Amino acid sequence: MTADLTNPIFNDETEARKHFEALRWPDGPICPHCGVVDEATELKGKSTRPGLYKCRACQKPFTATMGTLYERSHIPIHKWLLATHLLVSSKKGMSAHQLWRMLGFGSYRTAWFMAMRIRDGMRDLNPKKPLGGKGKTVEMDETFVGGKEKNKHAKKRKHVGTGGSGKEAVFSLLERGGRVRSHHVPRVNAKTLRPILMTQVDRASDLMTDESAVAKGLGREFGNHESVNHSIGEYVRGGAHTNTIEGYFSILKRGIIGTYHHVSEAHLKMYLGEFDFRYNERMGLGVTDAERAAKAVKGIAGKRLTYRQKPDQAANV
């Protein structure tokens, strides 16, 4: 089931604000100053902006956007909600140019900055629970994104370590039937990958990798490690394969190449968070487009972006 784009929350500011408040405050208004719950009065004066509350405990005013990525934004909340829905429901993402055209902004820069804020709300900044566990399987692999078109089909061995040809290394861990976590890494070697693997994957997991030297070395630290040798045409051997994570990489690459065309090294981490979020909140796990959008909206709490880049630094993103 998908969200209805004719829903008033996407075109009526009052309905959008009420929807946002319900997501942010399911148990009633929370004062960001003193933390008291449901002890606030909505101010109704003619000169008072909609959605302004006053805490009865500390007597300070506040709105639902305080302490979120929407704070001090001049963009109406209903456009924030619509942009979030469009971004999270598009499997391969949606470019800032497309958002610019669909939402009718005066400048591309506004759409780009808005999209980056939404991506920040999607990021899983502090994954606490390790992937996998006893009886579960985790696939591990790396890929390279970016670079010149003529080098995109170069053999992977030429890029191991640094990425080569302008490519950036992405290391991902994927639990079959579960979540994925992707990382932009400077080099593909044991020193870089081991800390990520050991902190984010339960040692009791069944680890599946390819036959690279790095994967072999790291796999020895797990109770059950199996690998497949792609160089000799082996892709599946019983339950041993990395097909699931390869499928995820194909979505990631199609999105970056086909939708965004180019992602700068400085912002790659944000885009990985976007693709991870959509995969982790996918239909296959019972998450609807509307539920996915609601989770992304909730994720904007406690985060602020204050980019000061020149417009040309955001080009082609």
Side-chain angles (χ1 to χ4, degrees):
M1 179 181 179
T2 59
D4 180 5
L5 292 181
T6 64
N7 190 316
I9 68 171
F10 296 134
N11 50 60
D12 182 273
E13 187 64 4
T14 299
E15 293 300 317
R17 177 177 57 80
K18 290 179 179 177
H19 177 73
F20 177 64
E21 290 176 351
L23 290 176
R24 182 99 200 273
W25 299 328
D27 300 315
I30 302 174
C31 177
H33 304 292
C34 66
V36 172
V37 180
D38 205 19
E39 287 292 332
T41 301
E42 185 176 2
L43 303 181
K44 299 288 188 177
K46 289 185 178 180
S47 61
T48 304
R49 68 182 186 274
L52 184 65
Y53 291 78
K54 185 174 183 179
C55 178
R56 292 194 291 270
C58 69
Q59 295 296 300
K60 293 182 179 180
F62 64 93
T63 67
T65 62
M66 287 186 68
T68 76
L69 293 174
Y70 299 169
E71 187 175 351
R72 298 181 182 178
S73 171
H74 297 293
I75 301 171
I77 293 178
H78 73 271
K79 289 198 174 185
W80 276 109
L81 296 181
L82 178 56
T84 300
H85 170 75
L86 292 172
L87 202 58
V88 303
S89 61
S90 302
K91 190 172 184 179
K92 294 185 284 294
M94 179 172 287
S95 70
H97 275 287
Q98 185 68 20
L99 286 175
W100 178 28
R101 290 191 291 269
M102 295 182 71
L103 274 64
F105 290 132
S107 72
Y108 161 74
R109 176 66 177 174
T110 299
W112 180 85
F113 185 42
M114 185 184 198
M116 294 304 286
R117 283 189 169 190
I118 295 171
R119 289 186 185 99
D120 200 51
M122 295 183 196
R123 285 195 300 153
D124 186 7
L125 297 179
N126 296 296
K128 297 178 181 179
K129 185 178 179 181
L131 297 173
K134 188 174 179 59
K136 295 183 179 180
T137 301
V138 174
E139 297 179 21
M140 162 187 133
D141 203 359
E142 74 279 344
T143 191
F144 298 90
V145 299
K148 296 180 180 179
E149 185 63 33
K150 66 180 182 179
N151 295 320
K152 289 193 185 296
H153 303 292
K155 290 184 178 179
K156 189 175 180 180
R157 60 180 174 79
K158 292 183 179 180
H159 307 301
V160 172
T162 61
S165 302
K167 292 177 179 286
E168 299 298 327
V170 175
F171 174 59
S172 293
L173 300 162
L174 184 149
E175 180 183 315
R176 289 183 188 169
R179 302 172 68 82
V180 65
R181 291 177 188 163
S182 301
H183 307 265
H184 178 201
V185 294
R187 298 183 65 85
V188 177
N189 55 34
K191 183 178 179 180
T192 300
L193 305 189
R194 187 179 184 281
I196 299 173
L197 180 65
M198 297 307 160
T199 57
Q200 298 198 16
V201 177
D202 191 307
R203 296 286 187 95
S205 308
D206 295 335
L207 185 66
M208 302 296 166
T209 71
D210 59 20
E211 278 285 310
S212 70
V214 174
K216 279 185 174 181
L218 296 175
R220 295 191 187 100
E221 301 192 45
F222 284 75
N224 182 30
H225 168 228
E226 295 187 65
S227 62
V228 287
N229 192 343
H230 293 168
S231 65
I232 62 171
E234 181 185 50
Y235 292 93
V236 180
R237 189 183 64 256
H241 65 79
T242 57
N243 293 345
T244 318
I245 199 166
E246 293 288 350
Y248 171 74
F249 283 154
S250 70
I251 297 172
L252 171 66
K253 289 186 174 183
R254 286 201 303 271
I256 290 179
I257 296 170
T259 301
Y260 299 123
H261 307 306
H262 167 74
V263 172
S264 69
E265 178 183 356
H267 295 121
L268 179 55
K269 183 182 294 185
M270 300 281 280
Y271 287 86
L272 294 178
E274 172 193 344
F275 281 89
D276 281 3
F277 176 85
R278 277 195 298 265
Y279 185 86
N280 295 338
E281 305 294 340
R282 61 192 183 276
M283 293 289 288
L285 295 180
V287 182
T288 66
D289 286 348
E291 291 169 337
R292 190 181 311 112
K295 290 184 179 183
V297 169
K298 291 179 183 179
I300 55 88
K303 299 176 182 176
R304 293 290 305 276
L305 286 185
T306 55
Y307 284 108
R308 292 291 183 269
Q309 293 166 293
K310 297 178 181 179
D312 60 347
Q313 289 178 288
N316 298 321
V317 178

